Amino acid sequence: MDGPNAAKLRALPQVQVLLETPCAISLLARYGRPGVRAALRAALDDARAAILQGAPGDTSEQALLDHAAQSLDRSPRLARVINASGIVLHTNLGRAPLAAEALDAAMQAGGYCTLEYDLTAGGRGSRTQGVGALIRRITGAEAAIAVNNNAAAMLLALTALAGGGEVVVSRGELIEIGGGFRIPDIIAQGGARLVEAGTTNKTRLADYRAAISPATRALLAVHRGNFHMVGFTETVARAELVTLAHAHGLVMIEDLGHGDLLGVFGQDSVTDAVAAGVDVVAFSADKLLGGPQAGILAGREAAIAPLRQHPLMRALRLDKLSLAALEATLDLHARGEHVAIPVLRMLAQSEATLRDRATRLAALIAPRGEVVASEGQAGGGTLPAQPIVSAAVALRVPAPDALAARLRAGALPVIGRVAAGCLMLDMLAVGDDELPALAAAVRGAVGA
Ligand SMILES: *Cc1c(COP(=O)(O)O)cnc(C)c1O
């Protein structure tokens, strides 16, 4: 090739030359040689592609170094954000914010701790003993263990209790939860065969009975976490399913998902499922329980014991930080200190409290922003049919999407919601202590 493009390509510096510039040397100190070299190579590749497309832009040494520095600065890290989306259990934003007590406990456990140590015996102890004792106390279950998340809990239960056999599930409960978690897939992954009972909208006890064969190991019920079925529908009461399972020597497994321990939200609770005799109830710890990411399996000792001993348990086990935070959160539940758990506190706020918070934010960013009624969500596939009355500050700007992007790009990113041509800052998941920082972020983004 020749002509002006070839000359520009030839004029691009070598990576080695760029690496020896003072600017690169300061980048090397911060990001290390492999990272800086890769970023410089990428900057040169971009410059070459731009030249070949006839839009070279600035291909000076300094421009290439700036380009590389920017991409190194942008390399993804977990960053704290303000959640003004109106969704309390926002899966992309880390679901449940932890209680101060849970954070403290995780900090204490960060060093050496009794993760698997029995202080009395001076030797090896069991990892989820503390969680087990707390769940027993709160729900009346005979036994409980904790693993990485509820998907892991289901995989463990199905593998250990039904692997090699058949699992009967209603056609109305063969659901996808999100993030690729589909009940039929997880049954297959657990080495069990799915046998469908009934129809999408109606499943009767006789359908389950007809689906049971000598190969059946378990009946599985799945909570419809993220959708709502209305109209011509029929399901089987939990107590009847338990009776049917036990009459055939099967285990009754239930995926309860949301993890509402006591029925604070007027739906089926873990305690109800345990009381009805379900052998294994699986649920998330970072939904309505308000704890760290974890999955809990609670129920009968005879059904939990094989899970404890299963080789998968080792692969799915919880780390000490999560375990400490989980114990502390469960301890708050056990003591009835629900207001100390952020998720429960947020979901119990009155409309007046939320409106007051919105009014204070509006005052901090006046004259922009208007207090409006809003509809929040619990999120995380919980409480699907219950919109939550909330309040928001609406910013009426010509380009709300661009403002939303500027808010996300700030030093303390703010996640809002664009609706009806406005940028909405919903107060449901915003703390009072976050208002000054939120207001500063909005003033910066609006002024920009
Ligand atoms: C949320 C949910 C899951 C997945 O739980 P994770 O803790 O996110 O793995 C599984 N089943 C149901 C019914 C759920 O609601």
Side-chain angles (χ1 to χ4, degrees), residues 277-304:
V278 175
D279 297 283
V280 176
V281 190
F283 52 98
S284 288
D286 56 352
K287 292 183 179 173
L288 296 178
L289 196 152
Q293 179 192 304
I296 298 176
L297 293 142
R300 297 269 175 93
E301 171 61 24
I304 300 291

Side-chain angles (χ1 to χ4, degrees), residues 80-271:
R80 183 193 151 197
V81 302
I82 292 182
N83 176 7
S85 69
I87 302 169
V88 173
L89 297 166
H90 197 305
T91 299
N92 303 145
L93 302 182
R95 282 210 189 137
L98 297 178
E101 288 81 351
L103 292 171
D104 274 355
M107 196 129 87
Q108 297 295 331
Y112 295 115
C113 64
T114 54
L115 180 63
E116 283 183 2
Y117 194 81
D118 182 332
L119 287 174
T120 315
R124 199 185 158 134
S126 132
R127 180 177 290 245
T128 59
Q129 220 167 17
V131 167
L134 285 158
I135 291 283
R136 286 203 302 275
R137 203 156 100 212
I138 299 166
T139 68
E142 284 175 15
I145 55 171
V147 291
N148 248 310
N149 56 19
N150 190 30
M154 287 297 294
L155 179 64
L156 178 60
L158 289 164
T159 307
L161 302 174
E166 292 176 356
V167 182
V168 179
V169 192
S170 159
R171 288 200 166 92
E173 297 175 4
L174 293 173
I175 62 175
E176 170 169 323
I177 308 297
F181 181 90
R182 289 180 159 184
I183 293 298
D185 296 343
I186 210 126
I187 290 172
Q189 192 64 46
R193 278 186 310 283
L194 165 66
V195 176
E196 302 180 10
T199 62
T200 301
N201 56 328
K202 289 206 172 203
T203 304
R204 304 189 181 89
L205 194 63
D207 296 320
Y208 282 97
R209 199 179 286 123
I212 294 174
S213 81
T216 308
R217 304 273 306 276
L219 301 188
L220 171 64
V222 184
H223 180 77
R224 289 196 201 94
N226 49 8
F227 73 108
H228 201 52
M229 218 158 78
V230 292
F232 192 56
T233 64
E234 190 172 331
T235 54
V236 180
R238 178 188 275 139
E240 288 182 75
L241 270 188
V242 170
T243 306
L244 180 67
H246 292 169
H248 288 80
L250 309 173
V251 280
M252 176 73 212
I253 303 173
E254 182 163 338
D255 175 2
L256 198 57
H258 59 64
D260 184 355
L261 293 176
L262 300 171
V264 185
F265 298 97
Q267 52 180 2
D268 251 1
S269 67
V270 175
T271 304

